[in-house]
């Protein structure tokens, strides 16, 4: 079955700096890769996703890149703000199968 | 449009008691899921359903049961609560393949 590894587990950055979170997956048939943001006491919220026929996708300050050959994908947050502080989860899915989540990255943005 | 609604938000159970965690979605999604999230950990799939009348086990189904009599509802049943079931439980849904919509969670403590 699919296995998703996520690094780092914690990440601290200064406000205005960039943050990068990386994930690798094991099943080459996986074709959908979402990223979720979870704020304290809340459920995960989808922030960006990418499908396997695309190499990069941007939405304002966040972007996701996908390298199918290496089976890894990354979340990039530029110009970080204190409100970006949260736990971020990557996930991988194959067709209509089940999402498999990474173990999460706790991002802290210091003013 | 309420999305995915979970009740209750908090609950304390004694060992051996039973309870049902409720989950309702109003988006007419076929797929529904139950995850548990232990402190500082990622999301582990308990059970899922691909449509009314169909349920299947996830990674950690022991100690739980589900039913899916309607498209909207996917309750999770704990029959004999154990301290190991202390966790935050999230319900999610999606239309087929793609981004999941999560509820806000139920925080369960078993003492």
């Amino acid at each position: 079955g699919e296995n998703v590894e996520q690094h780092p587990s914690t990440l601290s950055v200064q406000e205005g700096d960039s943050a990068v979170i990386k994930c690798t997956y094991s099943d080459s048939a996986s074709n959908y890769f979402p990223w979720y943001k979870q704020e304290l006491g809340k459920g995960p919220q989808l922030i960006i996703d990418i499908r396997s026929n695309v190499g990069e996708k941007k939405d304002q300050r966040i972007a996701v890149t996908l390298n199918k050959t290496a089976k890894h994908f990354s979340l990039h947050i530029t110009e970080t703000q204190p409100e970006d502080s949260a736990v971020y989860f990557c996930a991988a899915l194959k067709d209509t199968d089940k999402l498999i989540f990474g173990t999460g990255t706790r991002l802290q943005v210091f003013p | 449009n309420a999305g995915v609604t979970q009740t209750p938000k908090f609950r304390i159970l004694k060992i051996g008691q039973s309870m049902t965690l409720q989950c309702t979605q109003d988006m007419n999604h076929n797929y529904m899921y139950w995850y548990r999230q232990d402190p500082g950990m990622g999301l582990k799939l308990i059970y899922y359903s691909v449509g009314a009348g169909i349920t299947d086990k996830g990674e950690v189904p022991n100690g739980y049961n589900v039913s899916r009599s309607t498209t909207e509802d996917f309750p999770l049943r704990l029959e004999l609560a154990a301290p190991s079931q202390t966790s935050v439980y999230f319900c999610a849904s999606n239309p087929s393949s793609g981004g999941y919509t999560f509820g806000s969670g139920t925080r369960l403590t078993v003492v």
Side-chain angles (χ1 to χ4, degrees), chain B residues 28-39:
Chain B
N28 202 33
H29 288 172
N30 285 323
Y31 291 67
M32 296 188 74
Y33 312 82
W34 275 106
Y35 286 86
R36 60 176 286 172
Q37 185 177 35
D38 297 329

Side-chain angles (χ1 to χ4, degrees), chain A residues 4-8 11 19-25 33-36 47-50 54-59 61-68 70-78 88-91 105:
Chain A
V4 178
E5 294 188 358
Q6 183 172 347
H7 300 281
L11 180 59
V20 180
I21 303 170
K22 299 181 179 181
C23 289
T24 61
Y25 60 99
F33 307 92
W35 285 89
Y36 288 84
I47 56 171
I48 196 167
D49 55 12
I50 192 167
V54 176
E56 183 176 3
K57 184 177 178 181
K58 288 184 180 179
D59 183 3
R61 295 186 298 106
I62 60 173
V64 56
T65 59
L66 171 65
N67 183 326
K68 285 194 298 182
K71 289 190 284 188
H72 67 70
F73 56 112
S74 300
L75 177 71
H76 304 253
I77 306 174
T78 58
Y88 292 81
F89 291 97
C90 64
T105 296

Side-chain angles (χ1 to χ4, degrees), chain A residues 32 34 36 38 41-46 49 51 87 89 93-104 106, chain B residues 31 33 35 37 40-43 45 48 50 57-59 90 94 96-105 107:
Chain A
Y32 175 70
Y36 288 84
Q38 186 177 26
K42 297 184 179 180
Q45 298 286 319
L46 179 69
D49 55 12
R51 297 195 181 270
V87 178
F89 291 97
L93 180 146
K94 178 178 66 176
D95 297 324
T96 57
D97 210 331
K98 306 163 290 295
L99 266 183
I100 302 299
F101 286 86
T103 49
R106 183 174 299 279
Chain B
Y31 291 67
Y33 312 82
Y35 286 86
Q37 185 177 35
M41 303 290 284
L43 294 144
L45 183 65
Y48 67 103
V50 300
K57 295 178 181 179
E59 299 173 80
F90 289 102
N94 82 321
S96 57
S97 64
Y100 288 16
T101 300
F102 282 85
S104 55
R107 186 175 296 275

Side-chain angles (χ1 to χ4, degrees), chain B residues 4-111:
Chain B
V4 178
T5 302
Q6 289 184 239
T7 57
K9 292 191 183 300
F10 304 94
R11 184 73 187 268
I12 297 175
L13 276 184
K14 293 185 178 179
I15 294 171
Q17 285 185 321
S18 61
M19 76 164 293
T20 299
L21 283 68
Q22 302 290 347
C23 176
T24 299
Q25 53 96 3
D26 61 359
M27 298 171 285
N28 202 33
H29 288 172
N30 285 323
Y31 291 67
M32 296 188 74
Y33 312 82
W34 275 106
Y35 286 86
R36 60 176 286 172
Q37 185 177 35
D38 297 329
M41 303 290 284
L43 294 144
K44 292 194 178 296
L45 183 65
I46 306 171
Y47 269 96
Y48 67 103
S49 168
V50 300
I54 306 169
T55 62
D56 211 343
K57 295 178 181 179
E59 299 173 80
V60 290
N62 291 344
Y64 307 95
N65 275 301
V66 292
S67 60
R68 185 89 182 275
S69 56
T70 66
T71 298
E72 295 77 21
D73 301 307
F74 190 40
L76 177 71
R77 179 86 177 158
L78 282 71
E79 290 294 348
L80 291 170
S84 61
Q85 293 177 305
T86 293
S87 190
V88 181
Y89 292 84
F90 289 102
C91 178
S93 73
N94 82 321
S96 57
S97 64
Y100 288 16
T101 300
F102 282 85
S104 55
T106 295
R107 186 175 296 275
L108 175 66
T109 303
V110 182
V111 296

